[in-house]
Amino acid sequence: MEKKKRKSPRHRARRWRLCVIGCLILLLSARLALFGVKKVENALYPIKYSEFVEYYADKYELDPLLVYAIIRTESGFDPAAHSNADAIGLMQITETAFHWLRAKIAPSEELTFESLYDPETNIRFGCYYWACCLERYDNDISTAAASYFSGWTTVDNLLDDSAYSHDHITLHTFPYGGMEQYVNKIQKNYEAYQRLYAKNKEQ
């Protein structure tokens, strides 16, 4: 039988280099793919109006990432947003809520309902309102979200029903389709913001 030729050290070294280069190319491609996915996710879950969000979130003891999640859910970061329920601005505040909030935090300021189209004013009022919702419902984000969407009276009535609340403090079931969908959106968006940006905030 004809003996196989032994490959020279130079040939083996060349094969080794090609293997290493191939692995490096695969690793680089994977990193670029991940970077591309992260860029897309960052575009889908942006950080906007950060000067106001960070300031008022700190003032009213909120996680700013939650505020970004609320704004994304409510208006998609459109300061001119106007809903069918006549809620306006970034955090979608109704006129009734505006007058109550103004009496609480800006009684001497010459603000009108239309002032809520201003990003800073809207975020200021919205953050205060969310802080009130969280305080009222034991810092439970889902119950607070339900109250922000449907009002305190609606949520308080549900809390009295054991079908929706075991402890009469937080809701475990959201019986209305719109309410449940809203709560799920808030939770989903908040989780996405935490996943994308929480490490940056810890540094």
Side-chain angles (χ1 to χ4, degrees):
M1 291 179 64
E2 185 179 348
K3 291 184 179 180
K4 292 184 179 179
K5 292 182 180 178
R6 293 185 63 187
K7 293 177 181 177
S8 68
R10 182 182 297 177
H11 183 80
R12 288 197 299 270
R14 183 169 177 274
R15 285 193 63 186
W16 173 251
R17 284 197 300 270
L18 288 173
C19 257
V20 170
I21 291 169
C23 289
L24 288 173
I25 289 172
L26 285 173
L27 285 171
L28 182 60
S29 298
R31 286 182 66 87
L32 287 172
L34 287 172
F35 179 72
V37 169
K38 192 166 185 354
K39 279 193 73 173
V40 170
E41 286 187 319
N42 287 346
L44 289 172
Y45 299 92
I47 296 290
K48 295 184 178 181
Y49 307 104
S50 58
E51 178 184 359
F52 306 135
V53 169
E54 298 287 334
Y55 177 80
Y56 289 108
D58 180 67
K59 182 173 182 178
Y60 297 121
E61 299 182 341
L62 298 172
D63 181 353
L65 297 178
L66 175 59
V67 179
Y68 291 123
I70 295 163
I71 295 173
R72 185 185 190 276
T73 303
E74 290 286 354
S75 66
F77 292 90
D78 178 8
H82 190 139
S83 76
N84 294 332
D86 288 328
I88 65 173
L90 290 170
M91 297 183 75
Q92 292 291 278
I93 300 169
T94 64
E95 188 164 8
T96 300
F98 163 75
H99 289 298
W100 183 83
L101 291 165
R102 186 182 63 178
K104 291 288 185 181
I105 63 174
S108 62
E109 297 180 37
E110 294 183 2
L111 297 171
T112 65
F113 180 51
E114 286 70 28
S115 300
L116 291 176
Y117 286 118
D118 170 63
E120 181 176 6
T121 302
N122 197 286
I123 290 169
R124 173 190 175 195
F125 278 45
C127 283
Y128 178 79
Y129 190 27
W130 250 93
C132 290
C133 292
L134 285 167
E135 182 179 8
R136 187 180 182 93
Y137 299 111
D138 202 35
N139 286 312
D140 183 73
I141 291 173
S142 294
T143 307
S147 72
Y148 193 89
F149 179 79
S150 298
W152 292 354
T153 301
T154 299
V155 170
D156 288 349
N157 289 335
L158 291 174
L159 288 171
D160 288 334
D161 191 332
S162 58
Y164 309 121
S165 174
H166 295 312
D167 57 10
H168 304 293
I169 298 171
T170 59
L171 294 173
H172 60 71
T173 301
F174 306 93
Y176 311 123
M179 177 192 286
E180 183 178 30
Q181 185 179 28
Y182 179 81
V183 170
N184 288 339
K185 281 183 178 179
I186 290 290
Q187 290 285 11
K188 177 185 173 185
N189 287 336
Y190 186 33
E191 288 167 7
Y193 273 97
Q194 288 177 309
R195 176 170 51 82
L196 290 169
Y197 300 106
K199 287 184 180 178
N200 293 338
K201 294 193 69 60
E202 290 170 2
Q203 292 174 356

